[in-house]
Amino acid sequence: MSTITLTFPDRSTREFESGTAGLAIAQSISSRLAKDAIAVLVNDEVWDLGRPISSDASVRILKWEDEGGKYAYWHSSAHLMAEAIEALFPGTKFGIGPPVENGFYYDIDTQDHALTAEDLQKIEEKMYQLAERDVPFIREETDWKRAVEYFQKKGDPYKLELLNELRDQPISMYHSGNFTDLCYGPHIPSTGRIRAIKLLSIAGAYWRGNEKNKMLQRVYGVTFPTKKELDEHLFRLEEAKRRDHRKVGQELELFLLTPKVGGGLPLWLPKGTVIRETLENFLRVEQKKRGYLPVVTPHIGNIELYKTSGHYPYYKESQFAPIGVDEEQYLLKPMNCPHHFQIYASKPRSYRDLPVRLAEFGTVYRYEQSGELNGLIRVRSFTVDDSHMFVRHDQLKDELLSVIDLIKHVFVTLGFTDFKTRLSFRDPKNRDKFGGSDDLWERSEREIREVADESKLDYVVAVGEAAFYGPKIDFMVRDVLGRTWQLGTVQVDYVMPERFNLEYVGSDGQKHRPVVIHRAPFGSLERFIGIMIEHFGGDFPLWLAPIQAVVIPITDKHLDYAKEVFAEFKSAGIRCELDDRNEKVGYKIREWETKKIPYMLVVGDKEQASGTISVRRRMKGDIGAVDARSFLRQVLDVIENKQLTL
């Protein structure tokens, strides 16, 4: 029997017989690990525990706590739900049923029956019954013809359509109980691991996202190993509804979306603009410290520019239609990078000039289907805190380390301290999707991994998630509700310098290609602010709050003193308001509380006589009378240091 060498996360290696499966590997480490194991990571790909490993590989045993473990768990839950649906509604046809960030869904065609809330309850109960059987998920690798025959007999047009595109690829099916699905995996060992189930909602979804196809019913659900974890998750879902940025944004008058302007085209209201400009200024200061040069580019460009870059036709389906101008075609700008390349190429560059760091808050446009639009999170017009660094290869590592340091600083300053990273690499099996030579891809992926290791980033590798021009480091940030968002990104690019013939003259007098680094700590400002609204629930840190304080006179006879306090705070740069309305103080306080204003400065007889202010902190109530100027200095210090708490 031949042997294979497996490398573990601690870099240790062990030899096993070829064909050893993940469960046996876990058992060889400890019985406890084998009990907790859900799946195994093989060369950065999640596999079933029962799938044999027949060649040298890096491996990691995955538990529920791991991202890959949840992926397999929720994938298996989608199959369990499909089996329950098929049992309750015979003749149902199945589209796709993937795991998603917080659960799973399955797109189904129940012919003429529209599912109801009562149906969801029945499906949920059936899932519990099926799970109790604790049947295994069995992987079957088969040939294309046999798979076609099976789904023809079953009469499932959706699986047959998928199979039609898989003629030259390996085919696998999974069996669990009475359900069989066309599926690559991975799955957990058996259905008995699924113990806490909740089906959440039903939505419409066009087959394969194409409006010309049939509308299917998409059933969303979530499962957990324990009821306690499920209850905690459902509580977070309710809290997420309360924090929904669309709801909070409307209540706090931050932004406006109106069909009169167009779907996915947000209007920033004055208070929202304050937040946006404050974030921009914060990053501009940090960029200036690090030698970035500001540039501005137009919102439109000649289509040939994007053909050269590859954004057209690579992203043709997500771009607005070309515009005819003077017998030429133009596009609403889908990306800023081709414009920055023109700026770099506008004059000769020497090796002494590099690195060149160009930075812009550049607005770009994408055609998103109306059903995919979601407040600020998914829009058709958004602004990217874009930067492109043009570096010599010997500068690449230090420049990447500096960029990572900047992104980490941005996240920590804004309270996003729980984040991991994803190294997004090319799928070598799908070369048509990615530009550039194999040598350049292998080189850039190796360099990104080395920098991630040196920066001590907690990362996973995602094969197939790279940009078409190069690998990238994506920062995956966890918000206060435990949800994960992809925010900042760093990308290494050897492809664009070739396409745009970018050059510099080296110390040897010869022309060389620079390496391009694409970088965006916020990513989309719209999306970032939408996420930030939900993270803080609208209770922004003082330095970001659109209105930082409001001065409230108790009666009209205190108005003159209130105006003095207001003027002093205003002239010091505090964003404050004077509430001189003829209303009771209690009413004013309650109203400003709902508007999430950090401080209310109340003045009456005592305050006027002593030159003090009575300070109320939102959600904390009265914190006492303090000297007005002393308090102003404290507030300025909190803002200057961008403190998250007061």
Side-chain angles (χ1 to χ4, degrees):
M1 178 70 71
S2 61
T3 61
I4 56 174
T5 300
L6 301 182
T7 304
F8 292 89
D10 63 358
R11 308 294 187 190
S12 65
T13 60
R14 287 176 59 186
E15 289 192 349
F16 291 83
E17 289 186 359
S18 178
T20 300
L23 182 59
I25 296 168
Q27 288 170 336
S28 74
I29 298 172
S30 76
S31 58
R32 179 66 186 181
L33 180 60
K35 182 180 178 182
D36 293 340
I38 284 181
V40 58
L41 194 68
V42 180
N43 292 335
D44 302 319
E45 186 177 351
V46 183
W47 282 22
D48 310 332
L49 284 173
R51 187 172 172 182
I53 304 171
S54 56
S55 59
D56 295 349
S58 62
V59 297
R60 178 186 172 199
I61 302 301
L62 299 175
K63 299 186 289 186
W64 162 254
E65 295 79 10
D66 298 304
E67 182 179 341
K70 288 184 172 67
Y71 184 91
Y73 193 92
W74 285 330
H75 195 177
S76 301
S77 300
H79 279 223
L80 181 66
M81 181 177 72
E83 183 181 4
I85 291 171
E86 193 168 53
L88 293 170
F89 305 98
T92 296
K93 311 304 179 187
F94 294 91
I96 59 171
V100 289
E101 184 179 350
N102 284 300
F104 57 90
Y105 70 79
Y106 219 120
D107 288 343
I108 64 172
D109 182 355
T110 52
Q111 309 302 309
D112 298 325
H113 178 71
L115 293 178
T116 65
E118 290 75 17
D119 290 329
L120 288 191
Q121 182 64 35
K122 293 176 183 177
I123 297 167
E124 196 175 294
E125 292 170 358
K126 189 66 175 178
M127 289 176 69
Y128 275 112
Q129 294 173 14
L130 296 174
E132 287 178 0
R133 299 171 308 164
D134 195 23
V135 299
F137 286 91
I138 301 171
R139 177 186 177 89
E140 177 193 0
E141 295 186 356
T142 186
D143 60 73
W144 181 84
K145 184 178 179 181
R146 184 176 179 279
V148 169
E149 289 173 350
Y150 175 84
F151 286 105
Q152 281 178 338
K153 184 177 180 180
K154 193 175 181 182
D156 196 324
Y158 305 107
K159 300 301 181 184
L160 290 171
E161 181 178 328
L162 295 173
L163 278 166
N164 192 49
E165 300 170 7
L166 300 173
R167 287 176 179 271
D168 300 321
Q169 299 184 34
I171 302 298
S172 60
M173 300 196 297
Y174 275 82
H175 310 279
S176 55
N178 296 317
F179 183 70
T180 296
D181 204 358
L182 175 69
C183 180
Y184 187 70
H187 287 286
I188 61 178
S190 65
T191 59
R193 298 286 191 99
I194 303 169
R195 299 189 180 97
I197 303 167
K198 183 64 179 177
L199 299 188
L200 300 169
S201 62
I202 308 165
Y206 291 108
W207 168 236
R208 310 193 80 174
N210 189 330
E211 295 175 352
K212 297 179 181 178
N213 290 337
K214 184 174 182 178
M215 175 75 77
L216 305 182
Q217 295 183 84
R218 177 170 292 179
V219 184
Y220 286 95
V222 68
T223 53
F224 287 88
T226 67
K227 185 177 184 303
K228 180 184 176 183
E229 289 170 294
L230 174 61
D231 289 343
E232 290 172 349
H233 177 76
L234 295 178
F235 173 79
R236 288 193 297 269
L237 289 181
E238 288 302 313
E239 182 66 10
K241 291 179 183 177
R242 189 181 70 82
R243 292 169 176 258
D244 190 307
H245 76 281
R246 294 164 296 186
K247 173 178 174 289
V248 175
Q250 182 178 13
E251 293 170 349
L252 300 186
E253 300 177 354
L254 302 180
F255 64 92
L256 173 66
L257 288 162
T258 170
K260 292 183 179 180
V261 172
L265 302 173
L267 302 175
W268 290 92
L269 303 179
K271 293 174 185 175
T273 301
V274 167
I275 297 174
R276 180 182 170 122
E277 290 184 344
T278 302
L279 286 173
E280 288 184 9
N281 291 336
F282 159 59
L283 187 55
R284 283 193 175 98
V285 169
E286 295 300 325
Q287 289 178 161
K288 187 175 181 181
K289 292 177 185 176
R290 291 165 170 80
Y292 287 80
L293 303 173
V295 296
V296 177
T297 62
H299 293 238
I300 191 172
N302 193 298
I303 196 171
E304 297 302 322
L305 187 67
Y306 309 110
K307 287 182 179 179
T308 300
S309 70
H311 292 104
Y312 192 96
Y314 272 105
Y315 298 144
K316 181 179 178 181
E317 298 304 318
S318 63
Q319 294 171 14
F320 286 94
I323 305 166
V325 180
D326 296 334
E327 298 183 355
E328 293 183 315
Q329 286 191 311
Y330 287 74
L331 279 182
L332 285 172
K333 181 171 61 173
M335 297 288 268
N336 297 302
C337 34
H339 296 246
H340 291 190
F341 299 155
Q342 299 307 303
I343 293 173
Y344 175 86
S346 63
K347 67 177 184 179
R349 306 282 181 174
S350 162
Y351 70 97
R352 294 188 181 92
D353 299 327
L354 274 56
V356 174
R357 308 179 185 94
L358 304 180
E360 174 184 20
F361 288 90
T363 302
V364 297
Y365 301 87
R366 304 282 175 81
Y367 173 70
E368 302 285 358
Q369 295 185 29
S370 57
E372 299 294 327
L373 299 176
N374 175 18
L376 296 178
I377 305 298
R378 194 79 175 262
V379 291
R380 288 172 173 160
S381 166
F382 56 94
T383 300
V384 182
D385 55 326
D386 230 343
S387 179
H388 296 91
M389 284 78 83
F390 304 84
V391 304
R392 304 191 309 265
H393 190 264
D394 63 288
Q395 298 169 325
L396 178 63
K397 189 173 182 179
D398 286 342
E399 200 69 20
L400 286 172
L401 290 168
S402 176
V403 168
I404 290 170
D405 180 70
L406 172 61
I407 292 176
K408 290 164 70 174
H409 173 69
V410 168
F411 288 166
V412 171
T413 301
L414 290 163
F416 293 109
T417 55
D418 184 1
F419 58 84
K420 296 184 178 181
T421 51
R422 179 179 66 200
L423 307 189
S424 297
F425 289 172
R426 177 184 68 159
D427 182 356
K429 300 175 184 176
N430 188 10
R431 285 181 168 84
D432 292 343
K433 183 181 174 183
F434 305 95
S437 68
D438 289 346
D439 288 345
L440 290 179
W441 274 95
E442 290 168 5
R443 179 178 184 177
S444 54
E445 287 177 355
R446 182 179 66 251
E447 290 163 338
I448 272 193
R449 195 188 286 264
E450 288 173 355
V451 168
D453 288 335
E454 187 165 331
S455 298
K456 295 182 169 58
L457 295 179
D458 183 2
Y459 67 82
V460 296
V461 173
V463 175
E465 295 298 318
F468 73 86
Y469 46 75
K472 55 182 179 171
I473 304 175
D474 293 320
F475 285 76
M476 316 302 292
V477 177
R478 190 180 296 273
D479 69 10
V480 71
L481 297 179
R483 300 171 301 182
T484 300
W485 305 89
Q486 191 271 306
L487 293 177
T489 187
V490 185
Q491 303 168 3
V492 173
D493 182 0
Y494 286 94
V495 174
M496 293 300 171
E498 292 284 345
R499 292 187 175 183
F500 283 90
N501 195 30
L502 304 181
E503 298 175 336
Y504 69 90
V505 177
S507 58
D508 57 0
Q510 302 299 310
K511 291 182 179 180
H512 300 269
R513 294 269 185 248
V515 185
V516 172
I517 301 172
H518 305 246
R519 178 239 70 182
F522 295 143
S524 156
L525 263 175
E526 284 73 11
R527 185 169 180 272
F528 189 91
I529 293 174
I531 293 166
M532 195 174 66
I533 290 170
E534 297 190 4
H535 180 68
F536 291 114
D539 284 306
F540 299 106
L542 186 64
W543 70 281
L544 277 176
I547 301 175
Q548 295 164 325
V550 58
V551 182
I552 305 174
I554 292 178
T555 68
D556 285 348
K557 70 177 182 178
H558 309 115
L559 183 56
D560 288 342
Y561 179 58
K563 288 180 178 178
E564 291 176 17
V565 173
F566 170 73
E568 188 165 5
F569 274 67
K570 192 84 170 176
S571 64
I574 304 301
R575 297 189 289 270
C576 59
E577 299 282 346
L578 174 64
D579 190 345
D580 56 1
R581 294 175 297 167
N582 185 25
E583 299 283 357
K584 292 182 179 180
V585 173
Y587 174 83
K588 293 180 181 180
I589 289 173
R590 286 192 299 273
E591 188 174 61
W592 289 110
E593 278 275 344
T594 63
K595 293 182 179 179
K596 305 182 186 294
I597 307 305
Y599 286 118
M600 284 161 275
L601 314 179
V602 182
V603 296
D605 289 338
K606 293 180 182 178
E607 291 79 17
Q608 186 167 299
S610 59
T612 61
I613 52 177
S614 181
V615 179
R616 293 186 65 88
R617 171 74 178 100
R618 170 169 156 73
M619 302 298 291
K620 301 293 184 183
D622 189 0
I623 61 176
V626 297
D627 177 75
R629 291 183 178 175
S630 175
F631 181 71
L632 175 57
R633 288 193 295 271
Q634 292 176 32
V635 168
L636 290 172
D637 185 62
V638 169
I639 294 171
E640 175 68 23
N641 292 300
K642 296 180 175 58
Q643 293 175 213
L644 293 171
T645 56
L646 303 174

